[in-house]
Structures are given as structure tokens and as C-alpha cells.
Amino acid sequence: MTDLLTIGNTQLHNRLLTGTGKFYNHKLMKEALTQSGSQVVTVALRRVDLNASGEENILEDIPKDMILLPNTSGARTADEAVRIARLARAAGMGNWIKIEVISDQKYLLPDNYETAKATEILANEGFVVLPYMSPDLMAAKAMQNAGAAAIMPLGSPIGSNRGIRTKELIQILIEEMELPIIVDAGIGKPSEAAEAMEMGAAAVLVNTAIATAKNPVEMAIAFDFAVKAGRKAYLSGVGPTTTTAQASSPLTGFLG
Amino acid sequence: MSFYEEYVQIKNYPFDHFFSTITIQDVRKVLQKESLHTEDFLILLSPAAEHCLEEMAQMAHQRTVQHFGRTIQLYAPLYLTDYCVNKCTYCSFSIDNDFPRRKLTLAEIEEESKALVKMGLRHIILLTGESRLHSSVDYLCETIDVMKKYFSSLSIEIQPLDTDEYQTLVARGIDGLTVYQEVYNEDIYKEHHLKGPKRNYRYRLDAPERGAKAGMRSVNIGALLGMDEWRKEVFFTGLHAQYLQKNYLETDIALSFPRIRPNLGGFQPKVDVSDRNLVQAMLASRLFLPRAGMTLSTRESAELRRHLLPLGVTKMSAASSTVVGGYANKEHTHSQFEISDKRSVAEVKESLRELGYQPVVKDWEILTHSS
């Protein structure tokens, strides 16, 4: 049986989402994206220059078979996110949108309240909305009710490579939400991507860790393996972990 | 509330005594820490830290790549007018320098814009001298209306304004504000700003805060290195940036480290700031403020800029003209200061790529209410 991830009306067979930021050249970015096996790539509308050509136009270097997930990077309010989303759609970048509303430039933490507002407006306008958020169950439910297609909680602050520090909160989202949970931000190593997948996350989004690796192409491949391994482990039923050894001769075995 | 209160509390701190007590071991201890406090920043600015520049550089480089990637944002300055009512000892635009002043007409601004677009630039910073008559808010609004058809981001480096005036410009399409305090030492400030509204230290010091309040997306501050003891000046700049970051979470705060360049008045810097000193200033600031933007201007030579790039820089100007009307028309009037890096945009981009950096020309989209 094929293990597919459904977002909106689209079925994906790959569970690694990638990004276009922080690469030192577009050629390398293209190669890393291709080798990652990823089907969805996020790109900041603020960086897209539709009038440019060649190296200046980032869209030309994104593999054509990938689904574009424009993001609203730079938005500080719901209103700005909505306007950026509309510009992205008008620019022919499809109707998927990752909402990023960040009004804190130090830790780059998302504003859940403004994000939920933007989710509602854009979902009503027919966008497939993936909100980036701080893992909070009530906020996630509000975004689900507002029409989100998936929920993207952060593992730790953007670009921090600190791993899944919000593990307990993300686990609650995985248990309680019907929508796919895509862990976004903070994943610094393939082992952390595998960890998120073992926990039952539907997918992960990885950008900084690939783009800023010494060899981004090989790192993209490593993440591809890790996501697949983590997913397989989850589907196979990861055994419970304990800190103490289990007695090999049970005391109550005689009860039959 | 104002940064002035913090400045007053710290200005008489016995810096020299503090520096004399700092050892290399103290510096190494700071370099083990995840996030730095004010005192740690001062330790990294100490003479002792000069022995740890390589370690600091490795860390600063790694943090910058982590937060900003291997990318450098390119922008260009556009001088709109060189009329100025201030008398400042170090600036070519000073009122007592006798040269024919110019102010671009809207038609000329359109020509300059076309020339800049042709050069491949999308982020522009508008500069003026300080003259409410020649660079009024109305004139700036008309300028913005002409320019926003061509560019993705417009910022200003002009005379300090009131909060509501900044709000007017933000609503019209300006997203960034640059105001250099020039020198944080208030006594020395008075020695160099002899006449004109710029003599008002406090009004200038509070300008970045007024800009942040008015909704500027980014605010860039800096001290003109060479006016006073650079370790103290960089320390005050870092504290000012931290104050703004704490109080205005949604504003991107950036720093610049301009060194005094030759200019029309023949001003000589009071303090010599060597390349080594400049590097230490940048590294200490990057480690203290890992998320702050850092701008490198064409004041420095192409050769030095290549070396400074990996130390924390996030933005740089390219193919700058510091002459009013200097892009469309090469007929020169007087520049505000001499630039050192005279390479074209294409050359700057090529050199960035050679160094393993992606030149970023566009990184915003003007969102005025018509969009």
C-alpha cells in the first residue's frame, strides 16, 4: 500500500518539504532540491523578481515538477500576509501559501493570533493554506477551523538548528489534530528529521540545514533518507523507551 | 523612555580601568557563552580581545551564515539634494563649503531611477542634506511616488523627522530608516556640529526610535568611527541597537561601521581606526547581536571589503555615487565623501559569487495600500 500525504486535494509521496533561502548560488540550490526528492518547495515572495531573468530570477532555478509553496516572509501582520499571498497568486505562483507572520525580529517567533486571522481570510479566498506557528493546541484548532490545509509548528526558532525543542507540544498536536502536522524550523540534522517523523509528524520542512551545509546536495540526500527512515519506523510501530533495564525473568510469570 | 537615559547612566563608566583588568582568559570565557550580556560585549571590545580575533571571526562567520545564509543584499544610495543648513566639521555638504548646490527635479529622479534599474538594482536608499526647505516631506513623498514604480524597497537617510512625518513616509512606501548618530560622546558631538538643527544631540539620538514607532521595517544606526575612542563608540552603538531590538521587536535593527573618509573640508579624524580595529568592532557586535543586520559601505576599498565580507556583513552598497544626479549624468558636482570601491554592480556581483556568496538584489515588495 502506498503511503501518501494529502494536503488539500493533492497527494504527495514524499514527506520532505524544502526551501530556497540561504543557498550561495542557484545552481547548487537546484541540484540540492532535485536530489532531495522533495515535491514541495517554499519560496519567499519578497525574493521573487518576475521581471528578472537568469540567475536573478529564483523561479527559473526551481525544478519544474515541484509544487511551489510561496511564503509570506516579512509580513508582520495578518493584513500584510494577505497582501503578499495575493501578490504571489497574481504572479502565477499557484494557490498554495505558507503563512509566516513574524513581528519579532530577534527570535523570529510567529504570531499565532495574526496567523489564524490570515488563515481564515486566505482559506476563504480559495488558497491552500499552511500556517507556520508556535505549537499550541488551541491556536492549531483555530487555524483548522479557519480552513488550514496543514499545520506547521516550529521545532525551535527559524535557522537556529537547535532541533525539536518543542517536542512535547508537537506530540500533543500530532495526537489531537486531524490535519497533517509538518514540523517546520529548527531541524538542524537528519537525525532530528527522523525523530520528528518517528513521533508521527506527517512531514518536515528543512531549509537552513541543507542550504548552509558544506555540501548542500549531499545533505539534501541525507535528509531524504532520514525522513524516509523516520516514517518507516513510525509505520512499523516504534517500541516504548524506558530508562531502566527490563527484567528478563518476570516475577509474575507463574500466573500463566 | 529613551536610549538617552541609558547613555547618561553609562557614559562616565571607567572604561579604561575596566579594559586594563581584562585578560585573554576573560575573553575566552565569553566566547564559550551562548548569548552575551552587556559586560561580555565590552570584554570583546577590549584590547585583550585583539589576541582572539581569529576565534571571534570563526564564530561570527558561522553565526552569520546560520542566520542569514551565504547571501548579501545589494543596494545603492541615491542623492536627491546636497543643500544643507548644518555646519559640521567633517562633512562636505556643510553650509560653509562653497559649491553649487543641486536638488533633483522629479524628471531627473525618473532618469536616475531608470539608470539604477538598468544597473540591476532594486533596493535604494534616498539621501539628502539637512534642509527642510529643499528636502521637505512633501518633496520626499513626490519622489517616492515616482520611484516606487521602479524599485522593491526604498529607505531614507535624511534629516531626523518627527514620528508623524516618518509615518507619512511609511504610508507612502518607505520601509527603512538610516540615521547615524555620528558620535555618541555628547561633548564631542557638540564640538563637531557647530550650527544648525543637527546641533540637537537628543533629537538625533531619538530619531531611530521615532522611526521604529512610525512602523519602519528596518532601522540602521551607526557611529562615524574616528570621531572619538572607537571602543566606546562601538559599545554605545551596540547598546543602542540592543535597546531598539528590545523595545521594537518587529523592527529589523542593523548596524554600520563607517570610517571617516576624505572630504571637502579636509577634516582629519581625531582617532585613527585601523583595519584591525574595524574588524574587532564588527566581530564583537556580531557576537553580541547575532540577528542584527550589518551594512558595509563603499567607503572601504574593494580589497578590504572582500576580507570583511565573511565577518558578519549582510548588506552592501554597490556602484555607489555620492553625487547628486550621479547615475544618469556623469557631470560631477561635489560628493559627500569619496568612495573607495568604484566597481560596477556586475563586478561586485561576480566577486561575491567568487567568494561563495549569492548577491541578493530583491528582498522585499513595497506593500502600500494600493497593492
Side-chain angles (χ1 to χ4, degrees):
Chain A
M1 198 179 74
T2 331
D3 173 36
L4 296 173
L5 164 62
T6 305
I7 296 177
N9 296 321
T10 306
Q11 292 195 318
L12 303 169
H13 59 79
N14 186 287
R15 292 172 182 269
L16 170 63
L17 282 69
T18 46
T20 53
K22 301 186 180 179
F23 284 94
Y24 67 86
N25 72 47
H26 288 178
K27 202 172 141 243
L28 193 74
M29 175 191 83
K30 187 176 189 177
E31 183 63 14
L33 294 180
T34 305
Q35 296 293 328
S36 71
S38 170
Q39 294 175 278
V40 179
V41 60
T42 191
V43 53
L45 176 83
R46 62 192 284 180
R47 289 285 292 278
V48 175
D49 189 352
L50 292 165
N51 302 317
S53 58
E55 175 79 4
E56 304 299 347
N57 188 344
I58 199 165
L59 295 183
E60 288 188 7
D61 287 308
I62 292 176
K64 297 288 170 262
D65 54 349
M66 294 187 86
I67 296 173
L68 281 184
L69 175 58
N71 67 61
T72 64
S73 161
R76 295 174 301 181
T77 61
D79 177 55
E80 287 184 351
V82 166
R83 281 192 274 161
I84 293 173
R86 289 174 185 157
L87 284 172
R89 186 155 69 178
M93 294 169 72
N95 67 341
W96 286 37
I97 191 80
K98 176 183 156 192
I99 300 181
E100 265 185 57
V101 180
I102 293 178
S103 48
D104 140 44
Q105 301 306 321
K106 195 171 173 192
Y107 302 99
L108 302 180
L109 291 170
D111 182 330
N112 282 351
Y113 177 69
E114 291 289 313
T115 302
K117 279 204 288 188
T119 301
E120 181 164 15
I121 295 167
L122 293 171
N124 283 334
E125 292 182 12
F127 282 89
V128 175
V129 182
L130 290 83
Y132 169 63
M133 51 104 65
S134 278
D136 173 86
L137 182 59
M138 296 311 138
K141 288 204 181 237
M143 291 169 200
Q144 179 169 287
N145 292 338
I151 301 289
M152 304 184 86
L154 61 92
S156 49
I158 295 180
S160 68
N161 287 347
R162 291 169 74 85
I164 307 170
R165 299 289 175 119
T166 55
K167 189 169 181 174
E168 309 272 329
L169 295 166
I170 289 182
Q171 193 71 63
I172 292 171
L173 297 187
I174 291 170
E175 303 296 332
E176 301 300 326
M177 300 290 297
E178 284 139 37
L179 289 177
I181 302 299
I182 302 173
V183 178
D184 183 2
I187 293 179
K189 296 194 280 283
S191 55
E192 290 157 0
E195 182 187 4
M197 298 307 294
E198 285 168 8
M199 283 164 62
V204 295
L205 191 148
V206 180
N207 179 30
T208 302
I210 293 175
T212 65
K214 274 217 174 71
N215 187 331
V217 177
E218 291 295 314
M219 190 58 90
I221 295 169
F223 270 103
D224 180 32
F225 288 155
V227 169
K228 285 179 175 143
R231 179 67 184 172
K232 221 170 187 45
Y234 171 73
L235 294 175
S236 318
V238 180
T241 53
T242 59
T243 50
T244 51
Q246 295 287 316
S248 51
S249 317
L251 298 176
T252 53
F254 68 97
L255 294 173
Chain B
M1 197 181 59
S2 156
F3 176 65
Y4 187 67
E5 287 147 31
E6 273 189 34
Y7 167 73
V8 167
Q9 274 187 11
I10 198 112
K11 69 173 183 178
N12 293 322
Y13 183 79
F15 289 99
D16 291 337
H17 172 73
F18 177 84
F19 286 143
S20 71
T21 64
I22 301 304
T23 64
I24 294 179
Q25 283 69 35
D26 295 325
V27 178
R28 295 237 156 90
K29 253 185 244 161
V30 170
L31 295 179
Q32 301 295 323
K33 292 190 178 180
E34 178 98 345
S35 72
L36 307 191
H37 293 115
T38 308
E39 190 182 287
D40 301 323
F41 180 38
L42 199 53
I43 290 172
L44 295 185
L45 288 168
S46 69
E50 277 182 35
H51 303 285
C52 305
L53 288 188
E54 182 55 32
E55 287 158 78
M56 286 167 67
Q58 295 294 344
M59 289 177 68
H61 174 66
Q62 190 246 326
R63 294 219 177 146
T64 312
V65 169
Q66 186 189 343
H67 291 308
F68 297 91
R70 291 175 167 278
T71 63
I72 297 284
Q73 164 74 53
L74 295 180
Y75 70 94
L78 175 60
Y79 280 75
L80 297 173
T81 156
D82 48 19
Y83 283 96
C84 192
V85 298
N86 289 315
K87 182 175 174 181
C88 309
T89 56
Y90 54 88
C91 179
S92 300
F93 287 178
S94 189
I95 192 166
D96 51 358
N97 285 331
D98 191 17
F99 66 92
R101 308 271 171 163
R102 281 194 66 188
K103 172 182 169 177
L104 295 182
T105 63
L106 295 179
E108 287 170 324
I109 289 167
E110 188 116 32
E111 287 313 302
E112 290 283 292
S113 300
K114 285 179 186 162
L116 281 161
V117 167
K118 219 169 169 184
M119 289 160 65
L121 292 162
R122 302 293 304 271
H123 285 219
I124 305 296
I125 181 162
L126 307 174
L127 292 99
T128 66
E130 174 150 8
S131 165
R132 290 219 165 221
L133 182 65
H134 296 94
S135 44
S136 65
V137 171
D138 287 345
Y139 171 67
L140 290 163
C141 284
E142 290 168 2
T143 301
I144 297 162
D145 290 344
V146 170
M147 292 187 70
K148 68 185 171 198
K149 300 195 288 282
Y150 296 96
F151 300 104
S152 309
S153 165
L154 296 172
S155 30
I156 46 170
E157 184 172 349
I158 61 172
Q159 71 273 14
L161 300 176
D162 293 338
T163 309
D164 60 337
E165 293 172 312
Y166 284 136
Q167 274 164 344
T168 303
L169 295 177
V170 167
R172 208 68 169 232
I174 292 290
D175 51 66
L177 169 69
T178 293
V179 194
Y180 296 154
Q181 184 59 24
E182 320 293 15
V183 55
Y184 279 88
N185 183 322
E186 194 172 0
D187 301 328
I188 292 185
Y189 185 94
K190 295 276 179 196
E191 289 170 21
H192 290 290
H193 303 97
L194 302 171
K195 278 185 190 158
K198 195 166 178 178
R199 212 169 146 69
N200 188 340
Y201 174 90
R202 177 76 190 266
Y203 187 68
R204 192 171 186 87
L205 189 74
D206 290 338
E209 176 159 16
R210 292 195 298 275
K213 267 189 194 146
M216 292 283 178
R217 307 185 60 82
S218 66
V219 168
N220 198 326
I221 61 170
L224 200 45
L225 300 183
M227 304 281 273
D228 189 22
E229 215 287 297
W230 68 271
R231 294 178 206 277
K232 286 197 264 180
E233 287 293 309
V234 172
F235 181 64
F236 293 139
T237 310
L239 291 192
H240 195 179
Q242 189 195 42
Y243 167 88
L244 293 167
Q245 274 190 343
K246 274 196 179 153
N247 290 290
Y248 302 92
L249 276 178
E250 59 180 39
T251 314
D252 251 322
I253 307 298
L255 300 170
S256 303
F257 300 92
R259 284 195 288 185
I260 293 175
R261 294 282 309 152
N263 67 94
L264 202 60
F267 176 78
Q268 287 301 316
K270 174 185 165 193
V271 179
D272 186 39
V273 182
S274 68
D275 291 352
R276 176 170 282 269
N277 299 152
L278 178 63
V279 165
Q280 189 179 354
M282 290 172 65
L283 297 177
S285 303
R286 168 51 72 227
L287 295 175
F288 180 53
L289 303 162
R291 291 267 187 201
M294 204 176 273
T295 309
L296 186 59
S297 89
T298 28
R299 287 165 186 260
E300 303 297 345
S301 71
E303 177 63 13
L304 185 62
R305 295 221 298 178
R306 274 171 59 91
H307 293 301
L308 295 178
L309 206 67
L311 305 182
V313 175
T314 61
K315 288 187 259 187
M316 64 190 258
S317 51
S320 301
S321 166
T322 56
V323 172
V324 176
Y327 293 108
N329 202 327
K330 299 288 179 196
E331 159 212 344
H332 280 211
T333 54
H334 285 92
S335 65
Q336 191 186 19
F337 56 87
E338 285 178 28
I339 60 170
S340 288
D341 184 349
K342 295 179 178 163
R343 294 172 299 170
S344 69
V345 177
E347 286 169 326
V348 170
K349 281 188 186 169
E350 192 44 44
S351 140
L352 285 172
R353 291 195 187 105
E354 274 169 25
L355 292 167
Y357 280 84
Q358 185 193 151
V360 173
V361 170
K362 177 178 179 292
D363 194 25
W364 187 235
E365 188 78 41
I366 295 175
L367 294 176
T368 51
H369 279 278
S370 53
S371 45

